[in-house]
Amino acid sequence: MDLVRTLIWWFYKDLKVYKLDPHPRRARALRARFDRIFKRDTGYILLDRLLARLHQRKAELLRVLDRPEIPLHTNGSENDIRSWVTKRKISGGTVSEAGKAARDAMLGLLKTCAKLDVCFYRFLGDRFAVPGAPGIPSLPDLVRLAAA
């Protein structure tokens, strides 16, 4: 079991290196190495089943070989929902569907503003036409500006 764990972590490390300098020949080698690791018979039934299940998802798990710009992990996505989960645990959730929709919309805007380096309260002030609030471009314009 320790050998399989080590092989998987080495493979992950090499995927991170690949992202920095992708090459078709290296991608082929990594695909073949994936097969050697995840088609392995360890003698442990549960581990063998897990490896087989992961091997069935090969195309999805190795998408980075075709698109090196995508992340290897979901930490960013998990972080996006963390504040919602914390709020839900503290408050016990929402009472109505409208409350849930409002909470989800506001948290989505909050996260989007943070990613675009825009003050959330200034954004709200502009959208609610608060007197003296600074003007903030529309979200599509902000996204375009951030991408440029």
Side-chain angles (χ1 to χ4, degrees), residues 3-132:
L3 173 64
V4 173
R5 180 183 304 130
T6 301
L7 291 172
I8 291 171
W9 280 112
W10 281 346
F11 185 78
Y12 180 71
K13 183 178 135 210
D14 288 343
L15 283 175
K16 292 195 305 189
V17 170
Y18 173 85
K19 283 176 61 72
L20 299 175
D21 185 24
H23 190 275
R25 187 177 61 203
R26 182 106 171 99
R28 285 190 301 274
L30 286 166
R31 282 187 175 89
R33 191 164 145 210
F34 182 91
D35 288 338
R36 286 193 305 274
I37 294 170
F38 291 94
K39 284 185 172 182
R40 176 179 293 269
D41 182 17
T42 66
Y44 295 94
I45 294 171
L46 293 177
L47 180 56
D48 289 345
R49 286 181 187 162
L50 174 63
L51 292 173
R53 215 169 47 241
L54 288 169
H55 188 268
Q56 289 174 347
R57 295 178 54 203
K58 178 180 177 178
E60 176 187 351
L61 294 171
L62 296 183
R63 189 167 295 135
V64 69
L65 298 178
D66 299 319
R67 304 218 19 229
E69 71 276 6
I70 64 173
L72 287 171
H73 52 73
T74 60
N75 294 348
S77 299
E78 291 171 7
N79 187 46
D80 286 349
I81 66 167
R82 187 163 292 134
S83 59
W84 176 83
V85 171
T86 302
K87 170 105 173 76
R88 184 188 66 209
K89 285 181 180 178
I90 292 169
S91 69
T94 57
V95 177
S96 67
E97 283 301 313
K100 179 182 175 197
R103 179 206 56 221
D104 291 349
M106 294 305 277
L107 283 172
L109 281 172
L110 177 71
K111 291 292 185 175
T112 301
C113 285
K115 286 182 180 182
L116 297 173
D117 200 27
V118 172
C119 175
F120 179 62
Y121 295 107
R122 287 184 179 167
F123 178 83
L124 290 178
D126 179 59
R127 295 311 182 266
F128 292 134
V130 173

